[in-house]
Amino acid sequence: MREFGYERVHDVAGAVALLSGDPGARLLGGGTNLIDLMKAGVERPSLLVDVRELPLDEISFSSGGGLRIGATVSNSDLAAHPDVRRHYPALAQALLAGASGQLRNMATVGGNLLQRTRCGYFADLAKPCNKRVPGTGCPAVAGDHRNHAVLGASEHCVATHPSDMAVALAAFDAAVSYETADGPGELPIEAFYLPVGDTPHIETALPAGSVITGVTLPPVPAAAHSRYRKVRERASYAFAIGSVAAALDVREGVVHDVRLAFGAVASRPWRARTAERALTGGPADGTAFAAAADAELAAARPLPGNGYKVTLMRNLVVAELTRLAAEAAR
């Protein structure tokens, strides 16, 4: 067994100080991902900094009218919160689809954002993996890649991001707040996750030694009419093979606002801005929905074993937007 230290902190400054003083330190929230990676030998921290008792467990309205979500809020509490269910239903649905009740009770918002890929090659120390050991290669490109990326991948990595919650946050332009030794900062979620490029081991734009303190959701009127749909290989809890967060504001048959984000198709939540631009100001019908999906997925570069994801995502987009449009017409 590899030895490691353990420290429980009660304030953000204390957590930042411990991270700054030990490059091998890792933050421990619910541990639903980190502990598994430690057992597999993928993560080998020298110090675990337990942040569960930080005063970051509240959900409140922000000054701009959106929601402010603390980093240690559990996934269960976030999914059940009445303001989340009322104003951002796709976020609540994404959380409920993401894991069993036991895991949601433990998992935190900050930890969910930082969870790592479930690629089998990444988790297997006997295999090479650029995300785990830069420069060793990506065996998934020629190997088992059925559940891997079709958008935004590179020859260096075709793994997908596993979070359901982050897909909904991406659709609603969330921003991630953090604290460092130099003070606070904030990143839009689209800038928070980095393109895979030739450095797949660098997954986020967080500065070294950062502690995530919360997530801010801006007021998005269309988000009140939103849905999250997840497809997985079994009916019980499993990671997605494709998912979509969709929000639609239709006025007199015309799309006034639309939000789309895809999950399980890229190394990060994929904001479908090409599809959004194609739909805004146009008719809210199946033909337009299909054309917008095709426009977005024109950038897909599937591997021999995962081309089904392109058709899957097209069908998901059309189905969920059609459902939202029908609800708006009632």
Side-chain angles (χ1 to χ4, degrees), residues 12-242:
V12 174
V16 170
L18 287 171
L19 288 181
S20 300
D22 185 349
R26 296 290 183 271
L27 298 178
L28 177 67
T32 57
N33 182 211
L34 177 60
I35 299 302
D36 285 345
L37 293 176
M38 289 175 64
K39 289 177 180 178
V42 175
E43 289 279 5
R44 298 181 177 183
S46 55
L47 173 67
L48 290 182
V49 181
D50 189 336
V51 297
R52 286 302 293 248
E53 294 189 7
L54 293 183
L56 302 172
D57 58 350
E58 294 186 355
I59 302 171
S60 59
F61 282 106
S62 66
S63 58
L67 286 182
R68 167 75 179 175
I69 303 162
T72 63
V73 171
S74 74
N75 285 187
S76 288
D77 287 346
L78 184 58
H81 196 279
D83 291 321
V84 174
R85 297 175 67 181
R86 182 181 304 113
H87 299 292
Y88 306 91
L91 175 56
Q93 293 164 11
L95 289 158
L96 292 173
S100 66
Q102 295 94 326
L103 288 174
R104 292 197 307 271
N105 288 343
M106 290 296 296
T108 62
V109 168
N112 191 308
L113 289 171
L114 293 174
Q115 66 181 300
R116 307 196 71 189
T117 185
R118 263 56 179 195
C119 174
Y121 296 104
F122 172 74
D124 186 350
L125 296 185
K127 300 290 195 304
C129 172
N130 285 325
K131 188 178 283 291
R132 179 167 31 82
V133 184
T136 57
C138 179
V141 172
D144 181 4
H145 52 246
R146 172 177 169 78
N147 294 336
H148 286 62
V150 296
L151 288 165
S154 77
E155 62 181 313
H156 302 284
C157 183
V158 293
T160 58
H161 195 269
S163 175
D164 294 285
M165 180 192 78
V167 179
L169 293 178
F172 303 142
D173 295 320
V176 180
S177 300
Y178 60 89
E179 190 82 27
T180 71
D182 296 324
E186 185 175 83
L187 285 166
I189 197 162
E190 281 195 89
F192 178 81
Y193 293 112
L194 296 174
V196 63
D198 59 0
T199 55
H201 60 293
I202 305 175
E203 297 171 349
T204 76
L206 276 176
S210 298
V211 175
I212 294 177
T213 54
V215 173
T216 301
L217 280 165
V220 180
H225 308 285
S226 64
R227 297 182 58 84
Y228 183 77
R229 178 83 176 273
K230 175 179 181 177
V231 177
R232 45 197 169 199
E233 291 185 328
R234 63 176 187 262
S236 60
Y237 288 103
F239 295 100
I241 57 174

